[in-house]
Amino acid sequence: MSQIEKADVFRALHVRGRPVILYNIWDAGGARAVAQADAKAIATGSMSVAAAQGYSDGEAIPLDFVLSLVTRIVAAVDLPVTVDFEGAYAADPDTIRANVARLIRTGAIGLNFEDQVVGGSGLYPVEMQAARIAAVRAAAKDSGVPMFINARTDLFLQAGDGGDHATLVTAAISRGRRYAEAGADCFFVPLLGAPELVAEVVAGVDLPVNVMVLDTGADLAPLAAAGVARVSFGPAPYLARNRALTEAARKFI
């Protein structure tokens, strides 16, 4: 498939109530392994990609290194590849546009783009983040590739597991609506796991909704019933693989 065909296929996979499942990987070998499980698409996770190379999450791994890894992943499989691109390694729209253009040249057809201030604190104001999303869309338009923008809000992640997520749903919906206006294709709400709250976001935002599951044995039926269109596993596959590796090694050491 061409890059444009892959982008179109990936977009069509996002159906409310029948979520596309993305079992996040971190290298070309992992991409091939997941492809052999009849995956419909391949997705990286930023924490996994960084940790596998000895870096911390949060854009600590150099951008050039990330792009070289993505190039290898895209070459390894004939499936759509979407990349956790964090904050695009920039704050200002012009640099974001340039960096996303470089990502597109790897052959990737989608990206996660988050609203937290990477390396700082808090979230970008809504209008600033909207301008940043518009820069991502502009880069896609420049390239002629209909990149799938998964606009992530870190409201729930920053509140943590113990936060009162119910009080953040209205703010999340407001961000999701504005991000849609700016050019986003999907709305990502990591750490929001309660199906009833997820259903509120699904009802309130006119975009497919992506949730992250950190349990590789989770029952996804309640999330599908809540109307999500995409489920990703973030760092969970990488962490599970490392636990298994440690246990296997322990038998001999």
Side-chain angles (χ1 to χ4, degrees):
M1 286 187 288
S2 71
Q3 190 176 12
I4 291 176
E5 287 171 332
K6 289 177 181 177
D8 290 340
V9 165
F10 187 65
R11 186 177 304 276
L13 292 173
H14 292 73
V15 179
R16 292 190 181 205
R18 289 195 290 115
V20 57
I21 309 302
L22 299 176
Y23 201 74
N24 301 74
I25 54 87
W26 52 92
D27 61 12
R32 284 180 172 168
V34 170
Q36 288 171 4
D38 294 327
K40 304 301 183 185
I42 299 296
T44 70
S46 67
M47 181 271 183
S48 306
V49 170
Q53 303 300 327
Y55 291 93
S56 300
D57 199 10
E59 298 181 357
I61 182 171
L63 176 58
D64 286 348
F65 197 0
V66 170
L67 296 174
S68 69
L69 292 169
V70 173
T71 299
R72 293 299 309 145
I73 290 167
V74 170
V77 293
D78 191 27
L79 289 172
V81 175
T82 184
V83 176
D84 186 348
F85 209 45
E86 302 190 80
Y89 283 75
D92 65 285
D94 287 344
T95 307
I96 289 169
R97 189 169 180 170
N99 290 347
V100 171
R102 295 181 66 193
L103 177 65
I104 294 170
R105 289 195 289 271
T106 68
I109 53 75
L111 73 161
N112 291 357
F113 185 61
E114 60 200 46
D115 60 9
Q116 69 171 321
V117 180
V118 179
S121 61
L123 309 184
Y124 285 102
V126 173
E127 289 306 314
M128 184 178 296
Q129 184 64 8
R132 286 160 45 84
I133 291 170
V136 177
R137 179 53 63 206
K141 185 176 181 181
D142 292 343
S143 73
V145 177
M147 289 289 282
F148 193 90
I149 303 172
N150 191 27
R152 169 177 137 173
T153 184
D154 288 85
L155 277 168
F156 303 105
L157 269 174
Q158 294 204 349
D161 280 322
D164 186 355
H165 290 178
T167 63
L168 299 174
V169 167
T170 298
I173 289 172
S174 178
R175 282 183 176 263
R177 290 174 176 172
R178 185 66 186 95
Y179 296 170
E181 292 171 356
D185 299 293
C186 190
F187 188 45
F188 186 18
V189 286
L191 211 65
L192 183 63
E196 65 277 10
L197 298 182
V198 171
E200 287 187 42
V201 174
V202 168
V205 178
D206 191 22
L207 287 176
V209 171
N210 175 195
V211 296
M212 181 170 67
V213 174
L214 296 177
D215 176 4
T216 56
D219 177 9
L220 304 184
L223 295 171
V228 302
R230 172 169 168 172
V231 175
S232 50
F233 283 81
Y238 175 79
L239 296 173
R241 192 287 307 262
N242 276 10
R243 286 192 296 269
L245 185 61
T246 299
E247 289 306 311
R250 185 170 284 127
K251 297 175 183 177
F252 302 98
I253 296 173

